[in-house]
Amino acid sequence: AQTVTQSQPEMSVQEAETVTLSCTYDTSESDYYLFWYKQPPSRQMILVIRQEAYKQQNATENRFSVNFQKAAKSFSLKISDSQLGDAAMYFCAYTAYGGSQGNLIFGKGTKLSVKP
Amino acid sequence: DSGVTQTPKHLITATGQRVTLRCSPRSGDLSVYWYQQSLDQGLQFLIQYYNGEERAKGNILERFSAQQFPDLHSELNLSSLELGDSALYFCASSVGGAGLYQETQYFGPGTRLLVL
């Protein structure tokens, strides 16, 4: 069974600094997608970034980028120039490509605090 | 705004009661997913519908059921409610998810259920 592990329950970063959130996953599939979702205090789940496993290039969305290491089954999120609005729970998620089930498998989340 | 709508936003009810949660997917999306977020279990997949048909089941209790209507909106029915059913229930939608390819899932704002 596929699993997603986020080993950092909480992280803290100074405003304008850079922080990296870790995620590892376990799967026997060769094709899959990985995601980072952000959940601010409003509890809305917001897509931050998506990575296709067949792409070697790491995904980037403005200040958010990932370090995808397929062999190591590692998928970390780097937030540059952190802003107060980045404070939230961040969830790493996995879904297989082309399978009959499209559901996301989530990690337990990392709570990010941003200090002014 | 993800384009996915959920009603109601909050629901307070008593043990033993039955409630219905409603979800309207983004325009053009055929798949609807239901997730439960609780403090002890994290984010868990409940069930997926694709174009009106059940596609996949996750950790959904027998007391829970769902359906997707011809206009593609979906309802999650929770019956014989217990204290432990108190949680945030999310609906997500995607274009596909039928086994051909996986699309990004966009989440609604959630329904917060409190069972007293």
Side-chain angles (χ1 to χ4, degrees):
Chain A
Q2 295 91 351
T3 58
V4 177
T5 302
Q6 293 179 250
S7 59
Q8 306 152 316
E10 294 188 26
M11 292 280 286
S12 181
V13 63
Q14 206 71 32
E15 195 175 7
E17 297 295 309
T18 296
V19 65
T20 299
L21 309 184
S22 301
C23 172
T24 58
Y25 58 94
D26 189 24
T27 182
S28 57
E29 302 288 339
S30 58
D31 289 328
Y32 47 88
Y33 291 98
L34 296 164
F35 304 86
W36 281 96
Y37 282 88
K38 169 185 177 181
Q39 188 177 41
S42 66
R43 307 301 296 275
Q44 172 80 50
M45 292 289 287
I46 302 166
L47 176 69
V48 175
I49 201 164
R50 152 182 156 154
Q51 174 79 44
E52 291 87 344
Y54 63 85
K55 289 186 178 179
Q56 292 191 345
Q57 186 172 6
N58 289 324
T60 299
E61 288 288 342
N62 301 314
R63 298 182 295 108
F64 298 87
S65 61
V66 299
N67 183 5
F68 173 50
Q69 302 288 331
K70 190 173 184 179
K73 296 181 181 174
S74 171
F75 182 61
S76 61
L77 175 70
K78 185 171 83 171
I79 306 174
S80 304
D81 185 24
S82 296
Q83 300 175 0
L84 295 177
D86 295 333
M89 282 290 288
Y90 286 82
F91 292 94
C92 178
Y94 162 99
T95 187
Y97 177 92
S100 59
Q101 294 188 205
N103 60 287
L104 292 165
I105 298 170
F106 287 91
K108 291 193 179 298
T110 297
K111 183 177 181 180
L112 178 67
S113 302
V114 181
K115 297 179 180 178
Chain B
D1 185 359
S2 66
V4 180
T5 61
Q6 288 187 249
T7 56
K9 288 186 178 179
H10 302 276
L11 202 47
I12 301 174
T13 189
T15 55
Q17 295 299 304
R18 171 189 168 94
V19 297
T20 297
L21 312 184
R22 181 187 171 103
C23 167
S24 292
R26 294 186 319 157
S27 177
D29 284 1
L30 299 179
S31 267
V32 169
Y33 308 79
W34 286 97
Y35 294 87
Q36 179 193 59
Q37 184 178 31
S38 60
L39 283 175
D40 54 344
Q41 297 292 327
L43 273 156
Q44 290 206 87
F45 166 67
L46 296 179
I47 197 163
Q48 175 196 358
Y49 277 83
Y50 174 77
N51 203 21
E53 294 191 1
E54 182 183 302
R55 172 62 59 174
K57 267 187 175 180
N59 299 320
I60 188 167
L61 301 172
E62 285 192 11
R63 301 183 285 109
F64 296 0
S65 64
Q67 53 184 329
Q68 186 179 27
F69 294 86
D71 66 352
L72 301 178
H73 91 272
S74 178
E75 292 181 357
L76 179 67
N77 300 296
L78 315 177
S79 62
S80 303
L81 285 166
E82 303 175 358
L83 296 178
D85 297 328
S86 295
L88 186 55
Y89 291 85
F90 284 109
C91 165
S93 74
S94 69
V95 173
L100 297 177
Y101 56 90
Q102 301 304 340
E103 285 287 347
T104 299
Q105 294 181 27
Y106 294 92
F107 283 73
T111 292
R112 192 169 302 202
L113 174 66
L114 180 59
V115 182
L116 300 174

